[in-house]
DNA sequence: TTGTAAGCGTTATCAT
DNA sequence: ATGATAACGCTTACAA
């Protein structure tokens, strides 16, 4: 219970002394190399005895790499708290980084101050690469990364992408088209959309897909848009839509959270789903299974996305060629809401 | 577009050369100290000109500290994906660390391999301290932290706490008692509990509070317990409870997720909430507002918890005294389910 | 197979 | 106010 607040940590030097060999030899048993079994045994004993733990900062400085990869989510806090996919993306990415013996460090950016500090962290050589979720290319971090040529890949398609940074994502347009298409096929005639986050590529693309599916029958009056992928905005958007077009019988909500809000509004308005109105969402997030009825939606292969992003970064770090973009399959899953 | 894969980065040395001064002087403008304004101007110009960015690994090595604090969530992936509070805790912690110019790095532990690697990371001097969410003291990481005397504080009360590590949390027993109490006061006579995660202190404490509130009227037959705080287990637990005691009119679910599952089961069984059965949860997570009706529950001040934890770690790093434990207020919030 | 020594980029001490 | 210079702990040629 007593003792120095911070004991001096044993170094390679101490191990070498304890084992009666040179530091070079110690390093060889640590990092692989030719060592006699006598020496190896002595050194391993010494390591245990003095309680040696390597100092990564020193190693990083000498090697000029950190064996760490940053994971950044660039978004108002809401992302971290609300986004159903981000956790899975992290886990997917971590799984492959872990296998490659890289430490994933996730950095939260929640203020300008954070932005600055993280910038310094990244440029400080603390990570060999980075995975960036939902960046826009005017983000300071994005510029910084391009500038310092840090191996990085985006998750999601930044709108005006810096072509030098690869990305992995899904085909929002195609999936939105597909999900709308089925709404049409199941006989809905007046189909509206609660679009969201049109300032992001994902939001804009989902609207584009919706338009494409409807073709000539597309009616701009049947689209309302809200700023965020969010339950409360789903409520708001659906109310507006219902005001404009009380006879509507199909709705594409830009995300499951939005769909959940829309569902609540429809219920309040006395519309049954799916009997009176067919409703589809996007994301296949935890919302989708929790609503009553469960939501038909587009599945995002979040885990896979994370894996691919990590692989892409690792390849860049290794200096291997990478695909500038990969789009993963995001199939429509039909449940009960449409 | 062309150029070296990785440009050599400018160092203090380069800056010094470009400004025609010594490295010492450069360092002084970087880290504060007496510098003539001439020199300062020249150096600042040189910094911009050569594009100097400090190397944190070198700095860390020299200073023997990293200005970084680790954030670890020790739990099966589910935590990261499901736990509604963890994001808020992170944000709260990050806010205070950020103000103190510390980088929060969150490390995911999702496998034994991760555990090992993170262990090395922590002992490698990459962080000056750590915040640990939901550890148990037999966790290897917990032992390690105690061993290397890394400044750390727990979030949540580890069951058999290593007294040398402070913690911040809430009073699970008291809050469970309070929430059960109100169930009693509103006239419920046959009150059951879907307990969960009894192998954790939070789970066990909530059950204890429940017992305390009921006193003599506590009936062990009205408690079922499930392994995890989870919707699916809520369904399962509630079914079991209903089988045992069809006449029950009040239920305390160990978490909002569990309560949501229980709610669904009650609905399927034709019981109206709150008319036939009063239901309360715990956490005040996003579930609470999403269910129909919304859940009465116990509010966890997650943001505050994060802040306190961060402050505690910073104080330890600074060598200041810290409270061995702080319990934050977790008020009951009444909504519509009871 | 093992030892030696020169870095890696900063910081800190001590003269000047 | 400024300039040398020695750490910091590890890696990596190169010698032996």
């Amino acid at each position: 219970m007593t003792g120095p607040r911070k004991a001096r940590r044993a170094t390679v030097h101490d191990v070498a002394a304890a084992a009666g060999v040179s530091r070079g030899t110690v390093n060889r048993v640590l990092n692989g190399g030719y060592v006699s079994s006598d020496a190896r045994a002595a050194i391993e004993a010494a390591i245990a005895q003095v309680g040696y733990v390597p100092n990564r900062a020193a190693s990083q400085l000498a090697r000029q790499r950190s064996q760490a990869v940053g994971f950044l989510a660039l978004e108002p806090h809401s992302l971290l708290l609300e986004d159903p996919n981000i956790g899975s993306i992290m886990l997917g990415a971590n799984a492959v980084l872990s296998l490659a013996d890289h430490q994933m460090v996730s950095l939260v950016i929640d203020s300008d101050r954070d932005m600055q500090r993280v910038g310094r962290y990244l440029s400080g050589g603390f990570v060999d690469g980075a995975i960036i979720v939902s960046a826009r290319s005017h983000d300071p971090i994005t510029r910084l990364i391009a500038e310092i040529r840090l191996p990085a890949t985006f998750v999601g398609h930044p709108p005006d992408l810096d072509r030098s940074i690869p990305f992995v994502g899904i085909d929002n347009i195609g999936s939105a088209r597909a999900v709308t298409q089925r709404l049409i096929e199941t006989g809905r005639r007046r189909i509206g959309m609660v679009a969201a986050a049109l300032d992001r590529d994902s939001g804009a693309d989902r609207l584009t897909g919706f338009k494409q599916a409807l073709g000539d029958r597309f009616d701009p009056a049947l689209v309302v848009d809200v700023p965020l992928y969010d339950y409360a905005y789903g409520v708001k958007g659906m109310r507006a839509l219902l005001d404009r077009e009380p006879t509507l019988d199909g709705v594409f909500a830009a995300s499951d959270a939005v769909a959940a809000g829309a569902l609540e509004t429809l219920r309040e308005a006395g519309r049954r789903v799916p009997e009176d109105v067919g409703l589809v969402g996007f994301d296949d997030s935890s919302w989708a299974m929790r609503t009553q009825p469960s939501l038909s939606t587009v599945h995002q292969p979040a885990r896979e996305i994370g894996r691919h992003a990590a692989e892409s970064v690792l390849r860049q770090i290794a200096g291997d060629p990478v695909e500038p973009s990969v789009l993963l399959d995001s199939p429509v899953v039909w449940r009960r809401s449409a």
Side-chain angles (χ1 to χ4, degrees), chain A:
Chain A
M1 211 63 348
T2 55
R5 275 210 69 73
K6 200 153 190 176
R8 198 187 75 77
R9 299 235 316 265
T11 71
V12 173
H13 191 90
D14 302 326
V15 175
V21 298
S22 79
R23 295 183 276 170
T25 308
V26 173
N27 191 285
R28 259 163 242 132
V29 354
L30 258 21
N31 298 303
Y34 295 114
V35 186
S36 69
S37 47
D38 282 11
R40 161 161 277 122
I43 290 169
E44 280 168 350
I47 287 178
Q49 191 213 320
V50 305
Y52 169 75
V53 183
N55 179 319
R56 280 190 61 140
S59 155
Q60 175 177 156
L61 182 58
R63 282 204 225 248
Q64 300 285 71
R65 61 199 162 79
S66 62
Q67 297 274 104
V69 170
F71 185 101
L72 317 185
L74 298 176
E75 192 115 27
H77 0 277
S78 46
L79 179 78
L80 201 63
L81 303 178
E82 296 281 339
D83 190 302
N85 289 311
I86 189 128
S88 299
I89 296 174
M90 284 178 67
L91 256 17
N94 183 63
V96 350
L97 292 174
S98 182
L99 247 37
D101 256 308
H102 279 244
Q103 179 62 51
M104 183 176 93
V105 310
S106 76
L107 309 174
V108 354
I109 298 184
D110 185 40
S111 66
D112 282 350
R113 197 185 175 103
D114 286 355
M115 187 69 100
Q116 307 277 327
R117 194 171 19 69
V118 168
R120 274 176 278 141
Y121 195 85
L122 295 179
S123 4
F126 259 40
V127 298
D128 297 335
I131 294 169
I132 304 143
V133 178
S134 54
R136 334 241 179 135
S137 40
H138 65 265
D139 276 327
I141 288 280
T142 308
R143 263 212 305 281
L144 175 70
I145 285 175
E147 233 172 83
I148 64 177
R149 285 177 154 50
L150 184 70
T153 112
F154 288 121
V155 167
H157 185 151
D160 52 334
L161 181 69
D162 179 329
R163 307 293 311 197
S164 68
I165 304 182
F167 76 91
V168 13
I170 59 165
D171 177 8
N172 279 290
I173 298 181
S175 297
R177 198 170 50 219
V179 81
T180 308
Q181 192 59 46
R182 284 282 299 253
L183 227 38
I184 298 171
E185 284 167 8
T186 54
R188 311 294 176 175
R189 314 303 307 168
R190 296 291 288 163
I191 302 177
M193 172 167 185
V194 181
L198 292 182
D199 59 335
R200 326 190 56 87
D201 61 298
S202 61
D205 287 354
R206 289 171 199 186
L207 176 53
T208 302
F210 178 74
K211 280 185 195 164
Q212 287 183 2
L214 255 19
D216 288 346
R217 290 142 71 195
F218 172 72
D219 177 356
L222 292 190
V223 174
V224 303
D225 71 281
V226 296
L228 262 32
Y229 294 121
D230 172 292
Y231 180 94
Y233 277 116
V235 169
K236 211 162 166 175
M238 191 66 233
R239 285 202 183 123
L241 200 52
L242 226 35
D243 278 353
R244 281 202 215 155
E245 181 57 56
T247 71
L248 107 184
D249 61 0
V251 177
F252 170 30
S255 85
D256 290 344
V258 172
L263 182 60
E264 177 58 20
T265 300
L266 287 167
R267 172 178 299 136
E268 280 169 9
R271 301 293 207 291
R272 291 167 307 162
V273 173
E275 293 82 353
D276 305 328
V277 179
L279 174 67
V280 297
F282 206 107
D283 282 347
D284 196 15
S285 67
S286 55
W287 285 102
M289 300 288 285
R290 292 177 187 177
T291 55
Q292 192 70 341
S294 56
L295 294 174
S296 292
T297 186
V298 174
H299 179 74
Q300 292 238 34
R303 206 88 159 206
E304 283 305 311
I305 290 175
R307 287 202 194 97
H308 277 262
E311 269 156 16
S312 168
V313 171
L314 288 175
R315 241 194 285 285
Q316 291 177 68
I317 292 174
D320 295 341
V322 300
E323 292 180 89
S325 76
V326 2
L327 254 28
L328 265 26
D329 260 7
S330 48
V332 173
V333 341
W334 291 99
R335 297 210 178 85
R336 301 181 30 240
S337 69

